[in-house]
Amino acid sequence: MNDMTPEDREERRGKLKGLGHARRRVEDARFTQGKGNYIDDINLPGMLFGDFVRSPHAHARITSIDASAALALPGVVAVLTADDLRPLDLHWMPTLAGDKQMVLADGKVLFQGQEVAFVVARDRYVAADAVDLVEVEYEELPVITDPFESLQSDVVLREDLDPEAPGSHGPRRHHNHIFLWEEGDKAATEQAIESSEVVAEEMIYYHRTHPCPLETCGSIASMDKVNGKLTLWGTFQAPHVVRTVASILSGIEEHNIRVISPDIGGGFGNKVGVYPGYVCSIVASIVTGSPVKWVEDRMDNLMATAFARDYWMKGRISATREGRITGLHCHVTADHGAFDACADPTKFPAGFFHICTGSYDIPVAYVAVDGAYTNKAPGGVAYRCSFRVTEAAYMIERMIEVLAIELGMDAAELRAKNFIRKDQFPYQSALGWEYDSGDYHTAWEMALKAVDYQGLRREQAARVEAFRRGETRKLLGIGLTHFTEIVGAGPVKNCDILGMGMFDSCEIRIHPTGSAIVRLGTISQGQGHATTFAQILASEIGIPSDSITVEEGDTDTAPYGLGTYGSRSTPVAGAAAAMAGRKIRAKAQMIAAYLLEVHEDDLEWDVDRFAVKGAPERFKTMAEIAFASYNQAIPGVEPGLEAVSYYDPPNMTYPFGAYICVMEIDVDTGEHEIRQFYALDDCGTRINPMVIEGQVHGGLTEALAIAMGQEIAYDDLGNIKTATLMDFFMPTSWETPTYTTAFTETPSPHHPIGAKGVGESPNVGGVPAFSNAVHDAFRAFGLRHSHMPHDHWRIWKVAHELGLHG
Ligand code: PCD
Ligand SMILES: [Cu+]
């Protein structure tokens, strides 16, 4: 029968638009037509609006709060302060990192922009006027914005903590110290470094920055007092966790709380944590009996919701004369701001920073991270890098460059010499990780070849000569990076958030006519899950992805999951989807066997059907099987076709990539121009190449922003200097170069479809590639290291200090 030819099989496979298909994003129809449903699009009858009175000071005692003028303003319903929250025990809340944080300032403020009072009014405009009418008296206290100074200072930032008592990550050695966290063999590492022929040492600062999603954070709480039900809409990257936390904090039973994440306009880690605004909107709704909305403006967002990075990393790396790396030592001073509100799996106060041995086979390593309090905003979120992985990648990729200088060796060659070899996977790293799979040499050679690396080096050498002869004022930098990511948190045995193991889930319901609805514990913020998860299932169960609805983000309907961040959706929920699909297929096989009157073992799966082995013309399609499951009484088989899977991954996945940035730098103006950017990513099995390409473009552009200008900067008084988009660099199409993308495909051996995450890779690999290009341009003139972000002024200063301005 013609139906069974290989061409026919390919045609049927094509119709599914499954794995590997560049399927167009189904969510874009509504996004491009302004029909998205974001938090600020939701308006409920009688809804009030809440806004914060924020501290102008970075450190001050509050002597009085007078809300009478604000309360007298028509349209103002309530003004909440810490005193109002205290009886409910909600004036402080736990953070994700085992610390606690003020919901509203309790006696003092610890950073500029801190929430002091919550004004609830008829609408946003009245609320804003009322905010100005609340009179707060402050008594200024000394401000500390430097973590090194903080750990020496007599000034006590956190008066609520017993200085002698340990924190949730062990002993604290100073009243402004949060934790010391160590990994690896310290003695062996020091010994290896001291006895090595070549040692390079550098202080690498990864500055404070901010995810700054287009849509700011917000929530709407609606307390239905008649039925005792609380509904909470919000910009939540982890809706189920928010439900659990809301239940624990409020005492409302969890089944009476419904959390809904509607469309989210970018998360980038900013929407993982729990913010005072969420808590205040809930309390205000309980107090007023009306729904209460809170939505940040841009300044609120940049000032008060979670920052990222702010890591001072002191690296020491050693090698033989020939360039074999012998050891890596790293000490980090981590600036956490006023409260430790880092979003990391509980047991990892510095996230997965200990992936900092990178792509290299380093025999011994040791890292220590000291957390410090300062008068800056709390946070410490991933910002497109799972849990401090971008910091780790930046540190090792800068250290490799510095070591190459020390050795007088080509940095590409030094990398290749030390890569973990293909035959070493699964690879046990010195800091305790088991890398699942990789083929670094192949990716590296492809990248070098694609950009004509040797040719570029010759051009660069000629350029340096021309510069020295005074024929040009432009230098050429070649920024190399080979990164290894660790994504897919994670195995429940060592990863949890507030005690919730980091599994994820998928539930499938096949309808009688052969279409389906799928629900997952994750939540898309722009990644395109509605498109891609349907593709995984299309290939697993043989129903076209166009006939599969994917729903996420409503805790009343979706199975419990830990949410979307750390590029974990594909490694964890994607695996759950494949496993749930396989359960469907197992039941479908029983039904097909009954219908075809053969034994189950005599059937084989063929794209979208079960066919009798050796008699392919006898088959039942998935659509036929679905119908039968609802209309036939099959002995021993329950009616219906549904499955649920909760997936606990056995390991993380380790995507990797080889990036090369070619940059021209104008020595006199400090301006840069990116001539070429080549990004090769390996994320294992690729679900949707077009979505992956979009992810890579987006992530690279965020990396460009961070490396070349974006920062959250404070002055010595703790005033934030970059709280608007006038000062906080957001690249537009003008600054963004054209990217060339490429890939290799090394499947994860433990993931059911071999896929690894990809969303964060381009940021993790991109930042060092841009930064290394800047440094490489000046290598011939003696530059070892300079601090990011490499804005025009800083680049100019580097050139100046190297004496290049004559
Ligand atoms: N192999 C593969 C992988 C992947 N994929 C695709 O791609 C995406 C992604 O994925 P992943 O990697 O898994 O991830 P997810 O989990 O989903 O997501 C997350 C991420 O994602 C990214 N991207 C993005 N995009 C958009 N648009 N938006 C947003 O917001 C965002 N964010 C960012 C971030 S930052 Mo964090 O949160 O920081 O931690 S993390 C993150 C999706 O769609 C998927 O399906 C494919 O296809 N294939
Ligand atoms: Cu991170």
Side-chain angles (χ1 to χ4, degrees):
M1 219 170 128
N2 173 37
D3 206 9
M4 289 303 136
T5 61
E7 296 77 39
D8 157 72
R9 183 167 291 137
E10 272 325 296
E11 196 187 321
R12 285 189 282 125
R13 189 168 284 131
K15 282 192 187 129
L16 295 180
K17 298 189 193 160
L19 279 187
H21 187 92
R23 183 183 185 220
R24 293 220 175 166
R25 296 184 8 138
V26 294
E27 40 277 269
D28 288 347
R30 70 175 189 281
F31 293 154
T32 53
Q33 294 177 46
K35 295 288 196 299
N37 184 41
Y38 298 94
I39 191 74
D40 215 17
D41 294 320
I42 301 171
N43 290 301
L44 305 176
M47 190 175 74
L48 303 172
F49 190 90
D51 200 358
F52 283 111
V53 175
R54 296 182 180 275
S55 169
H57 301 290
H59 195 196
R61 216 168 286 293
I62 295 181
T63 53
S64 70
I65 302 179
D66 180 358
S68 52
L71 282 166
L73 186 73
V76 174
V77 179
V79 178
L80 302 177
T81 64
D83 288 341
D84 301 306
L85 301 183
R86 186 170 294 113
L88 306 166
D89 205 23
L90 284 176
H91 54 316
W92 287 74
M93 63 177 181
T95 69
L96 294 180
D99 195 359
K100 55 185 179 145
Q101 156 176 15
M102 293 179 207
V103 173
L104 290 171
D106 182 20
K108 73 182 212 170
V109 288
L110 285 157
F111 64 95
Q112 189 179 57
Q114 187 178 335
E115 301 81 358
V116 175
F118 191 66
V119 174
V120 185
R122 190 175 60 215
D123 59 40
R124 170 154 215 159
Y125 307 96
V126 177
D129 289 344
V131 161
D132 290 341
L133 293 175
V134 177
E135 280 170 37
V136 186
E137 274 176 36
Y138 298 93
E139 196 181 281
E140 288 182 55
L141 296 168
V143 172
I144 307 175
T145 58
D146 178 278
F148 298 97
E149 185 195 326
S150 178
L151 292 176
Q152 307 288 326
S153 173
D154 294 337
V155 178
V156 179
L157 297 180
R158 290 290 298 277
E159 290 163 25
D160 58 296
L161 300 177
D162 172 357
E164 306 298 323
S168 59
H169 300 293
R172 308 193 304 132
R173 65 166 184 273
H174 179 267
H175 50 252
N176 294 334
H177 184 232
I178 311 174
F179 60 81
L180 166 65
W181 178 79
E182 294 167 281
E183 194 65 67
D185 189 334
K186 186 177 184 189
T189 304
E190 281 169 357
Q191 155 71 27
I193 293 177
E194 268 145 38
S195 59
S196 284
E197 291 164 333
V198 182
V199 181
E201 190 173 314
E202 200 60 62
M203 173 62 98
I204 316 267
Y205 180 45
Y206 197 143
H207 58 291
R208 181 175 275 238
T209 180
H210 194 287
C212 193
L214 269 187
E215 180 205 33
T216 58
C217 301
S219 60
I220 300 171
S222 180
M223 185 70 210
D224 169 355
K225 288 193 188 170
V226 177
N227 298 302
K229 298 256 180 203
L230 170 70
T231 307
L232 185 63
W233 291 261
T235 48
F236 309 131
Q237 289 184 237
H240 283 96
V241 180
V242 170
R243 186 185 70 189
T244 301
V245 174
S247 173
I248 292 168
L249 287 183
S250 67
I252 302 171
E253 277 192 89
E254 204 165 347
H255 74 286
N256 278 330
I257 302 179
R258 179 180 187 185
V259 175
I260 301 174
S261 295
D263 283 332
I264 296 182
F268 308 111
N270 191 219
K271 294 166 179 167
V272 174
V274 174
Y275 296 121
Y278 303 163
V279 179
C280 287
S281 64
I282 296 175
V283 174
S285 180
I286 294 173
V287 170
T288 63
S290 302
V292 176
K293 180 190 272 189
W294 163 75
V295 174
E296 295 175 317
D297 66 20
R298 179 58 59 195
M299 285 185 70
D300 296 337
N301 181 252
L302 287 170
M303 269 191 316
T305 50
F307 77 93
R309 331 296 193 229
D310 220 346
Y311 256 34
W312 291 89
M313 304 174 284
K314 180 85 182 262
R316 282 178 82 205
I317 191 165
S318 59
T320 62
R321 266 268 140 253
E322 296 71 44
R324 266 305 300 181
I325 300 174
T326 50
L328 175 72
H329 184 288
C330 180
H331 179 264
V332 179
T333 303
D335 185 341
H336 286 264
F339 310 98
D340 184 2
C342 261
D344 296 314
T346 307
K347 292 183 194 73
F348 299 96
F352 302 155
F353 184 78
H354 46 316
I355 193 72
C356 63
T357 51
S359 309
Y360 311 102
D361 182 15
I362 302 182
V364 280
Y366 167 76
V367 293
V369 180
D370 271 308
Y373 290 120
T374 58
N375 291 121
K376 299 182 188 172
V381 293
Y383 186 3
R384 214 161 190 152
C385 110
S386 64
F387 316 123
R388 305 290 182 182
V389 175
T390 184
E391 288 92 327
Y394 186 62
M395 197 274 301
I396 185 68
E397 288 303 297
R398 283 298 307 136
M399 289 310 296
I400 290 282
E401 295 283 314
V402 174
L403 180 62
I405 292 172
E406 203 66 49
L407 288 162
M409 190 181 268
D410 178 84
E413 187 193 328
L414 177 60
R415 283 181 173 83
K417 201 167 242 175
N418 289 284
F419 281 150
I420 300 161
R421 290 186 323 272
K422 193 178 168 183
D423 58 86
Q424 287 176 286
F425 291 94
Y427 172 80
Q428 204 66 44
S429 86
L431 293 174
W433 298 115
E434 187 185 301
Y435 293 27
D436 60 346
S437 63
D439 181 356
Y440 301 163
H441 283 101
T442 300
W444 196 236
E445 278 149 30
M446 268 178 73
L448 297 181
K449 193 156 169 256
V451 301
D452 181 19
Y453 180 67
Q454 293 309 333
L456 282 172
R457 284 290 177 213
R458 283 192 296 275
E459 183 187 347
Q460 182 186 45
R463 184 73 69 87
V464 168
E465 289 315 310
F467 183 89
R468 292 207 161 109
R469 288 193 303 268
E471 290 163 15
T472 178
R473 297 297 290 163
K474 281 196 178 164
L475 297 175
L476 185 67
I478 305 163
L480 305 173
T481 287
H482 192 288
F483 66 93
T484 296
E485 259 261 78
I486 168 168
V487 300
V492 170
K493 63 178 187 285
N494 55 13
C495 286
D496 72 274
I497 291 217
L498 294 177
M500 298 290 112
M502 296 182 77
F503 59 84
D504 226 289
S505 58
C506 175
E507 181 197 285
I508 310 175
R509 209 171 276 182
I510 316 270
H511 308 313
T513 49
S515 69
I517 181 156
V518 172
R519 297 191 170 105
L520 301 115
T522 45
I523 172 73
S524 188
Q525 310 122 41
Q527 293 87 343
H529 290 178
T531 307
T532 54
F533 282 126
Q535 292 182 252
I536 297 179
L537 282 161
S539 291
E540 290 292 338
I541 62 178
I543 290 179
S545 53
D546 289 341
S547 303
I548 301 174
T549 296
V550 174
E551 212 183 77
E552 298 176 309
D554 182 341
T555 59
D556 263 10
T557 58
Y560 204 104
L562 272 285
T564 292
Y565 41 84
S567 294
R568 64 185 297 281
S569 303
T570 303
V572 193
M579 297 312 270
R582 288 171 196 183
K583 288 184 185 175
I584 294 277
R585 221 158 82 179
K587 183 169 175 184
Q589 187 161 0
M590 290 159 68
I591 298 170
Y594 172 79
L595 297 173
L596 292 162
E597 297 179 9
V598 294
H599 191 274
E600 270 181 60
D601 293 345
D602 294 331
L603 292 174
E604 63 188 355
W605 177 250
D606 178 21
V607 182
D608 56 355
R609 62 190 58 178
F610 276 104
V612 177
K613 284 181 190 162
E617 70 286 354
R618 295 191 59 212
F619 63 83
K620 288 287 168 191
T621 65
M622 197 54 151
E624 290 169 321
I625 295 168
F627 196 73
S629 77
Y630 286 90
N631 87 338
Q632 301 252 344
I634 304 171
V637 179
E638 286 178 21
L641 198 49
E642 296 190 8
V644 185
S645 166
Y646 282 78
Y647 188 80
D648 176 13
N651 190 4
M652 315 266 182
T653 64
Y654 296 75
F656 60 94
Y659 290 2
I660 300 178
C661 172
V662 183
M663 193 186 277
E664 301 260 353
I665 287 187
D666 185 319
V667 169
D668 297 313
T669 62
E671 284 176 300
H672 71 270
E673 189 196 322
I674 293 148
R675 201 168 83 180
Q676 186 181 6
F677 198 105
Y678 175 89
L680 180 152
D681 273 279
D682 190 319
C683 55
T685 305
R686 290 149 45 93
I687 302 161
N688 183 325
M690 184 164 61
V691 166
I692 292 172
E693 191 176 26
Q695 287 292 311
V696 172
H697 283 198
L700 288 177
T701 304
E702 284 184 312
L704 166 84
I706 295 169
M708 305 310 289
Q710 188 174 85
E711 80 178 303
I712 294 290
Y714 291 85
D715 70 13
D716 291 344
L717 295 174
N719 295 306
I720 177 167
K721 298 197 286 182
T722 52
T724 77
L725 295 185
M726 295 289 285
D727 309 296
F728 185 82
F729 173 47
M730 283 281 262
T732 64
S733 57
W734 177 256
E735 290 91 358
T736 304
T738 303
Y739 304 114
T740 307
T741 58
F743 66 96
T744 53
E745 205 162 348
T746 312
S748 167
H750 63 77
H751 188 282
I753 60 164
K756 303 180 178 185
V758 77
E760 297 172 312
S761 297
N763 193 301
V764 170
V767 172
F770 288 111
S771 180
N772 282 345
V774 174
H775 287 99
D776 184 68
F778 293 106
R779 176 172 170 174
F781 303 92
L783 180 64
R784 274 171 66 100
H785 183 71
S786 69
H787 291 317
M788 287 195 291
H790 305 294
D791 51 25
H792 301 163
W793 176 71
R794 284 193 180 87
I795 292 181
W796 181 89
K797 220 170 62 157
V798 163
H800 199 74
E801 278 160 11
L802 292 173
L804 301 185
H805 293 150

